[in-house]
Amino acid sequence: MSTPSMDPDVARIESAIEAAARRGDFDDLPGAGKPLDLPDTHDPDWWVNQRIASGDIDSEALLPVVVLLRKEYERRDETLAALPDEKAVREYAADFTERVHEDRRANPFQRMLAPAWDGDDAVARWREVRAAGPAVPSAPSPPDAAPPARRRRWWPFGRRGGRVSGPCECSPSTHGSHGPSPT
């Protein structure tokens, strides 16, 4: 009785595994002799859940953008305390508001919204935080210093949806209560 012929690639791999087993390369592996920790039901994301449980992946990075923006808004006093002047506060508020509007354009029907932040309101809050907190002396920057780098976005792969060109023509009080602006 003849055995069916094996694919040459498979035969080469099988012989390499058998040679490694004869040499004892697999004898002292971690977890040897222990049962595998497999779930009772099939979970296609088992490896992600395992990495999250072990702390390899920051679980906050898996949250929707709107939740991350709301958390950032809740921590705004800490951020404002670190900003040196009104110009930086206005730039931060404008960047935050732009990210909020991008999220609203990308997800026009979401029920949870992050608040937009006016630059004047941010400066007023910055003054309150600076008056209430300990005064942190800011060192004057040398005149030849480069301007601070623009804040890096957390999502490195670009936008999820297409960008809507042009501002919407609604009043500021109703902005955000509708979908993308008509173009």
Side-chain angles (χ1 to χ4, degrees), residues 28-182:
D28 297 326
L29 293 176
K34 297 178 184 172
L36 295 176
D37 185 23
L38 299 175
D40 295 334
T41 60
H42 175 68
D43 181 13
D45 299 326
W46 66 270
W47 61 277
V48 174
N49 295 332
Q50 190 177 33
R51 300 271 314 264
I52 290 171
S54 68
D56 291 343
I57 296 176
D58 180 21
S59 60
E60 197 165 285
L62 303 173
L63 295 173
V65 176
V66 67
V67 174
L68 294 173
L69 289 169
R70 288 176 68 98
K71 284 184 170 215
E72 183 178 347
Y73 186 79
E74 290 170 3
R75 295 187 304 257
R76 68 190 177 277
D77 286 351
E78 299 162 16
T79 305
L80 290 175
L83 296 175
D85 57 14
E86 286 187 21
K87 181 181 177 196
V89 172
R90 288 184 190 281
E91 288 174 357
Y92 173 73
D95 177 62
F96 178 81
T97 300
E98 176 60 27
R99 289 184 283 131
V100 167
H101 289 300
E102 283 179 18
D103 182 55
R104 289 179 185 177
R105 284 189 296 266
N107 305 296
F109 299 112
Q110 68 186 355
R111 299 182 87 178
M112 181 188 299
L113 296 174
W117 202 13
D118 181 54
D120 294 333
D121 293 340
V123 168
R125 184 68 188 147
W126 175 74
R127 288 182 182 140
E128 292 173 10
V129 168
R130 303 252 321 170
V136 179
S138 61
S141 60
D144 58 287
R150 186 166 163 93
R151 197 159 165 248
R152 192 173 155 257
R153 297 187 188 271
W154 74 273
W155 184 256
F157 304 113
R159 301 173 194 266
R160 280 195 241 171
R163 182 175 174 99
V164 177
S165 61
C168 65
E169 298 172 4
C170 65
S171 67
S173 62
T174 61
H175 188 74
S177 62
H178 55 79
S181 63

